[in-house]
Amino acid sequence: MVIQVKVPGLGESVKQATLLKWHKQDGEAVRADEPLCELESDKANADVPSPAAGVLRRKKKEGETVEVDEAIAEIDPTGVPTSKPVKAVEQKRAAAVSASPPNASQAISTSSGLAASATATLEEYSPAVRTLIAENRLDPKTIPATGPKGRLTKEDVEVYLAAPPPAMSRVEPPASFRPAPSAATEKKKDVAAVAPPLAAPASQTIMFDSTGIHREPMSRIRKRIAETLLQAQQNAAILTTFNEVDLTAVIELRNKFKDRFQEVHGISLGFMSFFARATVLALKEFPKVNAFIEGDNVVYHQFVHLGIAVSTDRGLAVPVLRNVEKMSFAKIETEIKRLATATRDGKLSLEELSGGTFTITNGGIFGSLLSTPILNPPQSGILGMHAIQKRPVVINDKIEIRSMMYLALSYDHRLVDGRESVSFLVRLRQFLEDPTRLMLEI
């Protein structure tokens, strides 16, 4: 008796997904719980495990839209395999060889020639792909792309490097592919550059038609982002209040202990742990900022599930640090790094993307000086961090150069009053301008 492989529940309000990639061949023998395919929803990517051991019979193709609880394959426990497993590297290497130009020299051309010979599909390059291209001085247009919609993946580049065609040529990559200066280098140039590198803008190559126009369908994640932002503006009375904070003391404390912190905890000490800790303490004093409106009720939370906005080449994601009020500085930094990496790699679980009670977004890593962040429904508050700048300020009637940052709190005025929002930011500033308060909770 065959066993149906169905699309699992993908989170609240998620009803569809895209079958991104099959991990197993049609007719291949599989083990119970072995990943069969990868699904992309508007919240996260998820692998579908095999419900039993047997032979796989695929019913859906890569790129198809599938519904939750829809059968995408069958497992025949008594079936006879008709397809042998093919290692991904061997499979893609075969595709690379068949797609390689007959003469390697033909792959070398001017930038205009590359644009003219490129396929019509949009190729989006992730940070990992751009790094490999830059480090190995490759021409990305000569590497066969096997990702969805013709996208070049990190694995494509690795396969190409592992067994390149004869006389593979190295070229100087465009400036957009060259790795950005490291955080260590940048922080020597400007104080703002030491903000936690949770996101990096993605480069992409767009092929235009003869009229100078390019059209492509919105991705599922981009559609979801658009719907969520529109919902937030339509269903909440969003206001934003601003303040500024002197981070000189935090910077001095971080510089004093960052080496020892790294040595003891095995993770670098960033600014986000200071902000996360200060946010937790401020939310304790102003619980409405950490609450939801649910129908005619106000839902308060004894815990803080802190969302950290992360920008990726697939769109914005907000992974959640659950029970951050119980975390040490080292635990916060470790979790932020883990979640940021998982977000960019598309490996977040649905649980890690849901359940947040308050969000922090850091536009300062892109150079933003001031912004009005939009609420992440159903939350009632979101904190916007911005670039750190050295500015002259008056301290005890004297002008001093201090490291300053503007803060923005967007809040739902249906629940949070102006007094509470302003007081929340003032309390946050007090914690950050005198970091000893974070330890003493005063």
Side-chain angles (χ1 to χ4, degrees):
M1 181 177 176
V2 297
I3 300 171
Q4 300 293 320
V5 179
K6 296 184 177 182
V7 176
L10 298 169
E12 184 181 358
S13 76
V14 178
K15 298 180 180 180
Q16 292 183 329
T18 299
L19 204 166
L20 199 62
K21 178 172 59 176
W22 281 105
H23 299 313
K24 297 297 179 181
Q25 306 282 333
D26 189 47
E28 182 178 341
V30 297
R31 301 186 303 273
D33 297 325
E34 189 173 14
L36 300 178
C37 65
E38 182 179 0
L39 299 179
E40 179 188 52
S41 74
D42 53 27
K43 289 189 175 180
N45 287 22
D47 284 335
V48 177
S50 177
V55 175
L56 174 68
R57 303 298 180 193
R58 304 192 317 204
K59 301 174 69 173
K60 294 291 182 178
K61 298 179 180 179
E62 292 181 352
E64 285 194 60
T65 298
V66 294
E67 305 281 340
V68 171
D69 208 35
E70 180 180 4
I72 57 175
E74 295 176 344
I75 301 296
D76 185 352
T78 60
V80 178
T82 59
S83 176
K84 294 182 179 181
V86 179
K87 293 182 180 179
V89 171
E90 295 176 356
Q91 188 179 32
K92 293 194 173 186
R93 178 67 193 105
V97 171
S98 63
S100 298
N103 189 323
S105 63
Q106 295 176 6
I108 304 176
S109 62
T110 63
S111 58
S112 60
L114 288 174
S117 63
T119 61
T121 57
L122 173 66
E123 294 187 2
E124 296 180 353
Y125 303 103
S126 68
V129 170
R130 294 200 307 274
T131 299
L132 285 174
I133 289 172
E135 290 178 348
N136 295 280
R137 302 179 62 194
L138 301 176
D139 176 1
K141 299 294 189 248
T142 65
I143 305 174
T146 64
K149 298 181 181 179
R151 283 181 292 188
L152 188 66
T153 68
K154 178 183 177 182
E155 189 177 6
D156 292 333
V157 182
E158 291 175 339
V159 169
Y160 188 80
L161 289 170
M168 181 185 74
S169 299
R170 308 275 177 168
V171 297
E172 188 64 27
S176 60
F177 289 96
R178 296 169 191 161
S182 66
T185 301
E186 287 297 299
K187 71 180 181 181
K188 296 178 182 178
K189 300 179 180 178
D190 188 75
V191 176
V194 297
L198 292 182
S203 299
Q204 63 180 25
T205 301
I206 298 178
M207 301 303 169
F208 298 94
D209 61 22
S210 59
T211 65
I213 299 296
H214 172 84
R215 286 185 176 88
E216 64 171 341
M218 290 179 68
S219 67
R220 188 175 297 277
I221 287 181
R222 179 52 58 186
K223 286 182 182 179
R224 180 62 175 173
I225 291 171
E227 292 169 359
T228 300
L229 295 181
L230 190 59
Q231 174 192 353
Q233 292 185 319
Q234 291 177 340
N235 297 337
I238 302 178
L239 270 70
T240 305
T241 185
F242 303 94
N243 213 314
E244 63 177 349
V245 58
D246 183 351
L247 291 177
T248 302
V250 168
I251 292 173
E252 290 175 350
L253 186 64
R254 176 179 178 271
N255 290 340
K256 181 178 180 180
F257 293 108
K258 63 180 181 180
D259 292 339
R260 180 59 177 163
F261 189 90
Q262 173 80 47
E263 180 183 340
V264 172
H265 299 292
I267 188 75
S268 59
L269 177 61
F271 288 111
M272 192 59 76
S273 51
F274 288 93
F275 275 86
R277 186 62 184 159
T279 295
V280 165
L281 297 178
L283 289 175
K284 284 184 179 179
E285 298 183 29
F286 303 97
K288 282 187 178 180
V289 186
N290 193 46
F292 296 166
I293 290 180
E294 186 178 79
D296 294 330
N297 298 317
V298 176
V299 181
Y300 291 90
H301 303 95
Q302 191 176 17
F303 48 83
V304 179
H305 292 346
L306 186 63
I308 305 292
V310 179
S311 179
T312 74
D313 54 0
R314 297 172 61 246
L316 183 70
V318 187
V320 177
L321 279 72
R322 309 184 83 83
N323 297 112
V324 73
E325 76 280 358
K326 298 179 180 179
M327 294 184 183
S328 65
F329 271 52
K331 181 64 173 178
I332 292 173
E333 294 292 350
T334 300
E335 281 297 287
I336 287 175
K337 181 178 180 180
R338 182 186 68 81
L339 290 173
T341 300
T343 300
R344 295 197 186 96
D345 292 343
K347 299 301 182 182
L348 282 175
S349 68
L350 294 173
E351 183 181 7
E352 291 170 328
L353 280 167
S354 60
T357 62
F358 186 84
T359 296
I360 295 179
T361 180
N362 185 5
I365 58 177
F366 300 119
S368 171
L369 188 61
L370 198 60
S371 66
T372 55
I374 298 178
L375 291 178
N376 186 17
Q379 298 172 23
S380 298
I382 180 171
L383 177 69
M385 298 168 56
H386 299 90
I388 303 172
Q389 287 192 332
K390 286 188 175 182
R391 297 199 297 269
V393 296
V394 177
I395 305 292
N396 296 325
D397 293 331
K398 294 181 180 180
I399 296 178
E400 297 185 14
I401 302 300
R402 312 289 286 188
S403 298
M404 307 297 294
M405 174 193 284
Y406 289 116
L407 300 177
L409 176 71
S410 289
Y411 59 98
D412 190 344
H413 204 6
R414 296 177 302 164
L415 178 60
V416 181
D417 293 329
R419 178 188 63 84
E420 292 166 315
S421 64
V422 171
S423 299
F424 173 86
L425 278 188
V426 169
R427 197 70 174 108
L428 198 69
R429 186 186 67 190
Q430 290 174 345
F431 286 126
L432 292 169
E433 291 187 342
D434 186 358
T436 54
R437 289 178 177 268
L438 297 177
M439 319 304 170
L440 301 176
E441 299 187 15
I442 59 174

